[in-house]
Structure formats: structure tokens, C-alpha cells
Amino acid sequence: MAHRPERTFRQRRAESSDSDSTQEPFAEPGSPGEQANLGPAEEGLPSGGGRAEAAELPRRARGRSRGRVWASSRHAARAAPRLDGGSDVPGDAGQQGACPGQQESRAVDLSTDEEDETHRSSESKDDQSSSSNSSSSLEEEFTSLVWIHFISCPIAVARTAKTMLNRSVNIPDAAFIQAAYRKRELARAQEDYISLDVKHAFTISGMKKNTEYPESETDDHENIIPFTTKPQTLRQKMAEKTATRNEETSEDSEEDKKYQDIWEQQQMRKAVKITKGRDIDLSHSSKSQTVKKFDASISFPPVNLEIIKKQLNTRLTLLQDTHRSHLREYEKYIQDVKSSKSTIQNLENSSNQVLNFKFYKSMKVYVENLIDCLNKKIINIQEIESAMHALLVKQAMIFTKRRQDELKHESAYLQQLSRKAETSTNRSLAIDEKTQWILEEIESRRARRRQARVLSGNCTHQEGTSSDDELSSADMIDFQKSQGDILEDHKKIFEDVHDDFCNIQNILLKFQQWREKFPDSYYEAFISLCIPKLLNPLIRFQLIDWNPLKFDSIGLKQMPWFTSIAEFIDSSMEDSKKDDSSDKKILSTVISKIIIPRLTDFVEFIWDPLSTSQTTNLITQSRMILEEHSTCENEVISKGKQDLLKPIASRMKKAIDDDVFIPLYPKSAVENRMSPHSKFQERQFWSGLKLFHNILLWNELLPEDTLQELGLGKLLNRYLIIALLNAIPGPDVVKKCNQIAACLPEKWFQNSAMRTSIPQLENFIQFLLQSARKLSTSEIRDEVKEIILILVKIKALNHAESFIEEYHLDHLKSVIKEV
């Protein structure tokens, strides 16, 4: 009988899923144990059709295994018990642990093949019950199982064989199998069945030709007549169940996956633990072997005293070199220690560095405390500053509104009086109480001013040139009380602060010490740019009660902050070796950033251009500020100057539009100099002339074109000349013309080559010539000379000569020659 060639299997350590200690040893194929367990199965295999059938079964098993990849571990566990008819076999668990990568597909395929073979065996028993028995069916089942497991997994072969032997199954020998084949052949010879003439040729390589059974011989289960519908195989049943089970198991898929992951992790941990154990065992065994074994065949080189001496000398040389290097390092460290000690001593002895550090540290602390103090006090300063400004604005608005209201009511009363005079001779006129009270108030104030002028001896005053800025006793008391409260709060701002932090002179003294001791660091820190910002709150604090419109207000140069800054700059010029010291710009910066904005607020909201005293004081303060600006010319200063002069021009233009009103009445109404119409017209003319004078006082500060546009173009030609044309020629008109000419700046007529006056005075010149013609025909000839002198003063020489030639006034030619 032909024997299969021996197949060697690599020894593996199988591990049960239930217990790590359950391990079954496997012998090599040639070992006695394996021959005893597997010998009967191998020897009982037939060489003819039986081998062909046995060869066909592994191919079927492999074909089925490819289609079962989707099977999960749970399905494999359910199909595995079918191997032994439903009993639990411990070897299956070991088989799962031994082949974890193939257990799902192989377990299902194994159970499927077993059921197919069982089905075939049952059909064979029905056809030939007389020639088949239980032992032959077990023989075929065992043979197919042995070949399936033999091909799929060597460990499964051993475990399956062991399981079948443990169950005490009688495995048929070769003689029993041959007898079964003979009975099958006799049955075919008797023809007691219907032949289907279906032949399946099974060939196996290596099969011998001298076998007892022909190659064309087929198995009984292949010639079975299908009288009924062939029952479904296990594969078909599982396919049907799978279609219906997919819906049922969809909810359990996540749980199955979870169990599968847990199982794989357990198997991996076990495999790693076994591998580590093997490595440890191998390492211990290798070490023990290396320690215990000693190869006496190894020969060592010969040893003599020269070699030993040479090695010792080499070793000694290396040690000496190392010692010398350590000595060098030690000496270096000693030198470093000495150098560090000397440096420390030098630093301790050098008091200058310590003093410098102390100075810088004290200066830093001082500046931080100063800034902290000013940040807290600036809020109070702003509140008091705003309160004082609001009080002055309120007072100025009272004066302006009262003047405009009185002008409106008095003008309305005179118009009503004129209409009443034209319609009837009855002088009684109904006046409302408010207008009557305003008129009485106006006359009472005028009477008080006349009385004051008489007591002072001023008899040349003209009605209408007064500022009319008197307050009632009640209003004056309220104003003084409010101002006193503000000043009391003003004094309390720095009462809890040391002089070093609120006195400008003491603050500048600190920075002066810095500049004297360390000028380089002083200028590198740009202290000249920081000082104006530090002094801003303190200067504003001193300016709270400063009113540049008052006659008795302190001058800018007499203020404490101004003198302190000036002294600081002078000392800087002495100490500094540079001519362009940055400290020079401190004062101009303070003026540009603090004084000019403060003065601009007074111009826009408080200044009354009709007040000559306010205008004179404002001009004085502005001229002083602009003179300080001229000492240091730069873009910032020119911008500050423009910021001051532009609001002045705007405020005067607004005064011309709002406050100038000269009414025109019939000559019959103004012929009587004591009539109300004549008095009102005279007061308004002199009020306009006063504004004209106040505007031209700015001739040295404002540009000429601005002054000529405001004073000559808007005020003289639009209001004053018209009023003069409506007046009766006489000494009063000449007097008014002299006052107008006296207001004109002499700077405009300093050019000796001028023969004609400026263009804006042409209307005034024509009015003078017209008045001179009217007066020359009358008895009043002295006023003609006054008119000629006015023309000569304003450089209208051509007009004066032509008038003298026209009217043959040869005695006045000497006046022109004197010029």
C-alpha cells in the first residue's frame, strides 16, 4: 500500500482561551506518539477511489473557506460543536487559540463539510443499507475530517485525531475497507439499481497503476438517483439564513465588533507574554550555558614580564597625563576665584557706581510718584477749571444778551414813536411793561456812568462809547460768591501734597541735578520733551484764576511757573556745551500746548470786542506770548500763532455782524439834537466807531489785509460812511471824520512816495471832498482846513491838491508842502 510522504510541522505552543496553563504537546510526525494516534487512519486509506475522494474533500474545504471570510468569531463558535455531534470538546478551544488567524473560516468550513458528508452518508445508507453500516460511515467521516484538518492546520489534525480517539471510535483498518469495496463491486454486478451512466474521473498524481480498483470506479454517493428534490446543503441554508439574519443582527453588530476587539486584544497580550517568557528563558539558558561551559581548546597568548611592564608603564603614563590636566584646571579655578574676589572688592570700594545707581533709582522712584500724584489730581484740576470757565462764560453771555435785547427794544420803541408822530400829533404812546422797565433800566445805568465821569473829571466822553458791563448788586454778589467757592476748592487741591511734587521750581531742580551730574543720559532720555507734559497740570492749576481780559490780571512773565522755567533754561545754557540745547524749547512748547489754548477759549467765548479795556488787555497778553514765540521759530510755534490769531479775527467779524446797528431816520427827526432819534443814532454811531478803533488796535499782530477787510471794508464803508452821509454837514461831521482818521494805523501811510491812499479808503476820501465843498460855500471855513489835513494824513495828496486848485485855497498849499 502506498504511504503518504511524511510531513513535518513546526512545533507551536497552543494556548486555550479559557486557561493559559492548558497546553498540549505535539510530537514530530515521525515520533512514536504521532504514529500511534494517526497511524490507523493513514494506513486505512485506500489507494483507488478512496484516495480520489479523500483528495476531493480538501479541495472542497478550501473552496468553502474562501467564501466564509465574512463569518465572525461568534458564528465560528456556534458551528464548531457540530464536529462531534453537539458535545463540548476541549480540543476546539485549544484549536482556536493555536490558529487565531484562521479560526473563523476554518471552524465554519469544518462544520459545513461534516454536515455535507453526514448528509451524503445518510443517502448512501438508504440506497445500500445491506452493504453499509455505522462503522463504514464513521470511517468515511473520519477520513474526510483527517484530510481537511491535515491541509488546513496541522494542529487541528492532532486535536481532531485526539478527540476521536478519546470518544472510543472504532477506526476500520485496511482489510475492512477492501472488504467494503468488494461488496460494493458485487452489488454493481448484480445490477440491482438503476445506472445513471455518470462518470467522474478522479486522478491523483503519484497514484500507482497496479491498484486493485480501476481508476474509473466511482463512489456510491455519486450514483444516487434523486427521486425527490435534493435537500439544501448547509451552504445554501446559511446563505438563506444570512439574508434574513442581517436585519436581526444589525443591532448586535456594534456589540459583536466590541467583543471581537476585546478577544483580539486578549490574544495579543497572551502572545506577547509567551514571547517575553521565551526570550527570558532563552537568555537565562544561554547565560547558564556560557557560564557552565568552558572550552579548554582555546589557547591564550604567552605572558612574560616585559609585556606586563610595558602595559603598566602605559597605564602609568595615562594616569600622569590625567593628573597634570587636573592640576591645570585646578590652577585655573584658583585664578578665577582670585579674580572674582578682586572684582567684588573693587566694586565695593567704588562708591561712584553705588552713588550713580542710588541716584538713578531715587530719580525713578521720584518720577513714578510724581506721575501718580498728578494722575490723581488732574481730575480735580479739570473740574475746577471747567467751573471757572463756565462762570466767566455765563457772565459774558449775560452782558451780550442784555445789550442785544436793549438795542432791540429801544429801536422798536423809536420806530413806534416815529410812526405815531407821522400819523397824529398826540405824543402819548402805549408801551408794554417789559419795554418800559428795560428803558428805565438803561437810563438809570447811563445816569450812574455820567455821574461817575463828572466825579472823575472826564468831560470829553461821548455817549455810546461805554462798554455797559455793569452788573446789578444781586448779580454781582452771586458772581463773587461762586467765584470765591471755586477758588476755595482750588486751594484745597494740593494742600495734602509735598512741595517736591506740586512746586514747579522744586520739580525742575530735580531734573537740573540730573542734567548737571549726568548730561549724556539726561539728553539721551529727551527730558526736554517730558518736562512740558509733567508741568501741564501744575501750570493749569496756576492759571485757574487768571483772566487776561481784566486790567489788573497778572502778566505772563510775572507768573511763578514762567520764572521757574526761564531760570531752568538759563542754567541749561550755562551748563550745556551745545548752542542748540533742547531745553530752549521748553518754554515755547508750554506756551503752545497750554497758554495759547487757554487764551483761545477766552477769545471765543468771553472776550467782548466792543470793550476797549478787554481788547487792550488781550492785545498785551497776546503780544507777550507772540514775542516769546519769536525767540524760537519752528513749525509748532507758527501753528500756535495761527491758532491764536484766527479766532481773534473770527470773533471781531461776528461782533460786526451782531452788534453794529446804526439806524437812519429822516432829517426832520434828527435835526433836533435832543430828540430820542438823534441821541440813539449818535450812540450807535459812536459804538460802531469804538469797535472800529478796537479792531485797528490789532495792527501789529494781525495781517494788514485782514484788518483792512474787517475795519475798512465791513465796518467803515458799510456802516460809518452811510451814517455820515445821512448827517448834517458841520463841525460834528468833521469831528467824526477826525476820529476815524485817528484810528487808522500810521504804518499804512509811512511810504513817502505815496500820492494816493489805499483803495479801501476811496469812499471816505470822496465823503471828505463832498463835505469840504459844502463847507467852503458856507461861513464855516475852518473845518475845510481840517478836511485838507485829514486828506494829507491818509496820503490822498492828489485829491487835496486838486481841491485847493479848484477852490483857490492858496493859503493851504503850505500844508501839503510840509508833508
Side-chain angles (χ1 to χ4, degrees):
M1 181 183 296
H3 295 279
R4 293 181 181 275
E6 295 182 357
R7 305 180 70 175
T8 59
F9 298 95
R10 185 173 54 187
Q11 184 178 1
R12 298 185 181 179
R13 295 176 62 90
E15 181 175 327
S16 175
S17 61
D18 298 332
S19 176
D20 296 340
S21 62
T22 306
Q23 297 180 357
E24 295 179 4
F26 296 126
E28 296 294 331
S31 63
E34 183 180 358
Q35 292 177 1
N37 295 332
L38 302 178
E42 292 182 358
E43 291 177 358
L45 289 174
S47 61
R51 289 199 176 186
E53 182 180 357
E56 181 67 15
L57 289 173
R59 287 194 295 271
R60 293 178 184 174
R62 288 193 297 271
R64 291 190 183 96
S65 65
R66 295 189 188 96
R68 302 295 179 177
V69 177
W70 53 268
S72 65
S73 61
R74 178 177 294 182
H75 298 159
R78 293 173 182 172
R82 298 181 183 177
L83 180 62
D84 55 348
S87 61
D88 297 335
V89 181
D92 293 343
Q95 184 179 351
Q96 292 177 2
C99 302
Q102 302 175 356
Q103 73 173 33
E104 291 182 12
S105 60
R106 290 180 180 177
V108 176
D109 292 338
L110 181 59
S111 61
T112 305
D113 294 341
E114 289 174 359
E115 289 185 5
D116 291 343
E117 291 301 327
T118 306
H119 180 67
R120 293 193 191 96
S121 300
S122 62
E123 290 180 351
S124 177
K125 288 178 183 178
D126 294 338
D127 293 338
Q128 42 184 354
S129 60
S130 60
S131 62
S132 337
N133 52 21
S134 60
S135 62
S136 63
S137 63
L138 291 171
E139 175 186 353
E140 293 176 1
E141 179 182 357
F142 179 75
T143 305
S144 62
L145 288 174
V146 167
W147 279 103
I148 290 171
H149 289 270
F150 187 83
I151 293 172
S152 62
C153 183
I155 300 174
V157 175
R159 292 187 178 278
T160 305
K162 184 176 180 181
T163 303
M164 297 298 293
L165 292 175
N166 291 335
R167 291 173 59 187
S168 301
V169 177
N170 295 326
I171 301 174
D173 56 359
F176 181 81
I177 294 173
Q178 291 178 3
Y181 274 108
R182 290 193 190 95
K183 288 180 182 180
R184 192 180 300 172
E185 187 177 356
L186 292 174
R188 292 194 188 98
Q190 293 178 3
E191 295 182 354
D192 56 354
Y193 66 95
I194 299 174
S195 177
L196 297 178
D197 295 332
V198 179
K199 297 182 180 180
H200 300 277
F202 299 93
T203 59
I204 301 175
S205 62
M207 184 179 296
K208 296 182 180 180
K209 293 182 180 181
N210 57 355
T211 180
E212 296 179 357
Y213 307 104
E215 294 180 358
S216 61
E217 185 177 0
T218 59
D219 295 335
D220 294 339
H221 70 277
E222 295 179 355
N223 298 326
I224 297 175
I225 299 174
F227 292 97
T228 60
T229 304
K230 185 177 181 179
Q232 293 180 347
T233 61
L234 182 59
R235 184 189 299 275
Q236 295 174 350
K237 291 179 181 179
M238 292 181 67
E240 290 180 357
K241 289 182 179 180
T242 301
T244 58
R245 194 180 299 169
N246 286 335
E247 298 179 358
E248 297 176 359
T249 59
S250 61
E251 297 179 356
D252 299 334
S253 60
E254 295 294 332
E255 187 177 0
D256 296 341
K257 184 177 180 181
K258 180 179 179 181
Y259 291 152
Q260 177 69 14
D261 295 337
I262 293 172
W263 183 86
E264 291 176 357
Q265 291 176 4
Q266 290 177 354
Q267 298 302 321
M268 292 297 294
R269 284 197 296 268
K270 292 175 182 177
V272 172
K273 189 184 297 181
I274 293 170
T275 305
K276 289 182 178 179
R278 287 181 178 178
D279 295 338
I280 293 171
D281 294 339
L282 291 174
S283 63
H284 282 294
S285 61
S286 62
K287 288 181 180 179
S288 61
Q289 290 177 1
T290 54
V291 172
K292 292 179 181 179
K293 291 183 179 180
F294 176 75
D295 192 357
S297 62
I298 298 175
S299 62
F300 294 97
V303 179
N304 52 23
L305 293 177
E306 294 295 333
I307 295 174
I308 296 173
K309 184 178 179 181
K310 185 177 180 180
Q311 292 179 355
L312 291 175
N313 289 332
T314 304
R315 179 62 177 169
L316 181 59
T317 304
L318 294 175
L319 292 175
Q320 290 176 352
D321 294 339
T322 305
H323 179 65
R324 282 192 294 270
S325 63
H326 289 169
L327 287 177
R328 286 193 297 270
E329 292 179 0
Y330 175 75
E331 293 175 356
K332 181 181 178 182
Y333 293 151
I334 294 296
Q335 190 67 25
D336 293 341
V337 170
K338 291 181 179 180
S339 176
S340 301
K341 289 181 179 181
S342 62
T343 304
I344 293 172
Q345 187 176 4
N346 292 333
L347 291 176
E348 290 177 352
N349 294 332
S350 60
S351 59
N352 293 332
Q353 297 294 332
V354 176
L355 293 176
N356 295 346
F357 173 77
K358 289 181 178 180
F359 175 79
Y360 284 120
K361 186 176 181 180
S362 63
M363 198 67 190
K364 177 179 178 295
V365 174
Y366 173 77
V367 172
E368 290 176 353
N369 293 333
L370 176 62
I371 293 173
D372 184 54
C373 174
L374 296 178
N375 286 334
K376 291 181 180 179
K377 298 298 181 180
I378 188 64
I379 300 174
N380 299 331
I381 294 173
Q382 289 176 350
E383 292 177 355
I384 295 176
E385 187 179 35
S386 300
M388 180 63 74
H389 181 72
L391 181 63
L392 296 176
V393 170
K394 182 180 178 181
Q395 185 185 28
M397 290 179 65
I398 289 174
F399 292 147
T400 303
K401 188 175 184 302
R402 187 181 69 181
R403 181 172 60 243
Q404 293 176 356
D405 291 343
E406 290 176 354
L407 179 63
K408 182 173 65 175
H409 284 87
E410 190 172 4
S411 176
Y413 167 73
L414 292 175
Q415 288 179 359
Q416 292 178 5
L417 190 63
S418 299
R419 287 195 298 268
K420 189 67 176 178
E422 293 175 358
T423 57
S424 176
T425 58
N426 189 5
R427 294 293 180 181
S428 63
L429 183 64
I431 305 174
D432 58 349
E433 295 181 357
K434 183 177 181 180
T435 303
Q436 185 67 29
W437 178 82
I438 290 175
L439 293 177
E440 292 177 355
E441 184 68 21
I442 293 172
E443 287 299 329
S444 64
R445 290 200 307 272
R446 287 172 183 168
R448 288 194 297 269
R449 287 196 295 271
R450 291 191 197 101
Q451 185 179 1
R453 286 194 295 270
V454 170
L455 293 175
S456 63
N458 185 9
C459 300
T460 60
H461 182 78
Q462 297 292 334
E463 290 287 343
T465 58
S466 298
S467 299
D468 195 11
D469 53 358
E470 296 90 357
L471 285 174
S472 63
S473 59
D475 294 338
M476 181 63 68
I477 291 172
D478 292 339
F479 175 79
Q480 291 177 354
K481 183 177 182 300
S482 300
Q483 188 177 19
D485 295 339
I486 293 173
L487 294 178
E488 286 295 329
D489 296 337
H490 165 257
K491 294 178 181 179
K492 296 178 181 178
I493 293 178
F494 287 102
E495 65 180 0
D496 59 341
V497 179
H498 194 272
D499 289 343
D500 290 342
F501 299 96
C502 63
N503 192 330
I504 295 178
Q505 187 174 2
N506 294 345
I507 294 172
L508 293 177
L509 184 61
K510 292 284 187 180
F511 290 98
Q512 185 176 352
Q513 293 175 359
W514 185 359
R515 184 179 59 193
E516 293 174 355
K517 292 182 178 180
F518 311 104
D520 295 337
S521 62
Y522 173 85
Y523 290 107
E524 289 176 359
F526 298 98
I527 301 301
S528 59
L529 299 178
C530 301
I531 288 178
K533 297 180 180 179
L534 288 175
L535 301 182
N536 187 329
L538 300 175
I539 295 175
R540 290 169 60 183
F541 171 77
Q542 295 185 14
L543 293 176
I544 286 177
D545 59 342
W546 177 61
N547 189 350
L549 305 178
K550 294 176 63 176
F551 176 74
D552 57 349
S553 64
I554 186 172
L556 193 66
K557 293 184 178 181
Q558 287 76 31
M559 292 185 180
W561 64 266
F562 189 94
T563 56
S564 299
I565 294 176
E567 291 176 359
F568 181 78
I569 295 175
D570 293 340
S571 62
S572 173
M573 298 298 296
E574 296 175 0
D575 298 338
S576 178
K577 297 179 181 178
K578 303 177 181 178
D579 295 336
D580 55 345
S581 177
S582 58
D583 290 341
K584 291 181 181 179
K585 302 178 182 179
I586 293 177
L587 185 58
S588 60
T589 304
V590 169
I591 292 174
S592 299
K593 300 297 183 181
I594 303 174
I595 305 302
I596 288 179
R598 176 78 172 173
L599 199 61
T600 302
D601 292 339
F602 276 95
V603 170
E604 291 179 350
F605 304 104
I606 302 174
W607 174 45
D608 183 12
L610 288 173
S611 175
T612 304
S613 61
Q614 291 186 10
T615 303
T616 304
N617 296 328
L618 182 62
I619 290 173
T620 302
Q621 299 291 344
S622 300
R623 184 178 288 111
M624 189 182 304
I625 292 172
L626 296 179
E627 286 177 357
E628 293 297 330
H629 271 273
S630 62
T631 58
C632 184
E633 297 180 357
N634 53 33
E635 296 180 358
V636 177
I637 293 173
S638 61
K639 182 179 182 301
K641 183 178 179 180
Q642 294 298 325
D643 293 341
L644 175 62
L645 298 181
K646 186 176 180 181
I648 292 174
S650 300
R651 183 67 185 89
M652 289 190 296
K653 181 180 178 181
K654 186 176 183 299
I656 294 172
D657 296 336
D658 297 343
D659 298 328
V660 177
F661 174 69
I662 303 176
L664 299 178
Y665 297 112
K667 290 185 178 180
S668 60
V670 296
E671 285 179 354
N672 186 6
R673 302 298 300 271
M674 301 302 295
S675 66
H677 299 84
S678 178
K679 290 181 179 180
F680 181 72
Q681 188 181 44
E682 287 293 318
R683 284 196 300 269
Q684 291 304 117
F685 176 84
W686 287 106
S687 176
L689 185 59
K690 180 182 179 181
L691 179 60
F692 178 74
H693 171 261
N694 294 339
I695 291 174
L696 295 181
L697 288 176
W698 294 91
N699 66 87
E700 295 182 359
L701 299 177
L702 291 176
E704 289 184 2
D705 55 350
T706 303
L707 288 177
Q708 291 175 5
E709 179 185 359
L710 292 174
L712 303 180
K714 292 183 177 297
L715 185 55
L716 178 63
N717 296 329
R718 186 180 297 179
Y719 293 102
L720 300 180
I721 296 297
I722 294 174
L724 291 174
L725 291 174
N726 192 39
I728 298 174
D732 293 337
V733 173
V734 175
K735 183 180 179 180
K736 293 176 182 177
C737 291
N738 278 324
Q739 291 294 329
I740 292 174
C743 293
L744 296 175
E746 296 180 358
K747 183 180 179 181
W748 294 356
F749 311 105
Q750 289 180 354
N751 189 1
S752 58
M754 289 180 61
R755 302 293 296 176
T756 58
S757 185
I758 56 180
Q760 286 85 350
L761 291 176
E762 185 64 27
N763 293 332
F764 181 60
I765 294 171
Q766 294 299 328
F767 172 76
L768 290 175
L769 293 176
Q770 181 181 353
S771 299
R773 291 188 185 97
K774 290 181 180 180
L775 292 174
S776 63
T777 57
S778 63
E779 297 179 356
I780 306 174
R781 293 180 176 271
D782 294 337
E783 280 74 12
V784 175
K785 183 179 179 180
E786 294 293 335
I787 293 173
I788 297 299
L789 292 175
I790 293 173
L791 292 174
V792 172
K793 182 179 180 180
I794 62 177
K795 293 295 181 178
L797 299 179
N798 294 334
H799 293 88
E801 290 177 354
S802 62
F803 179 80
I804 291 172
E805 293 292 336
E806 181 181 357
Y807 289 93
H808 306 285
L809 301 174
D810 297 334
H811 64 283
L812 296 178
K813 291 182 178 179
S814 61
V815 177
I816 299 175
K817 293 179 179 179
E818 291 177 358
V819 177

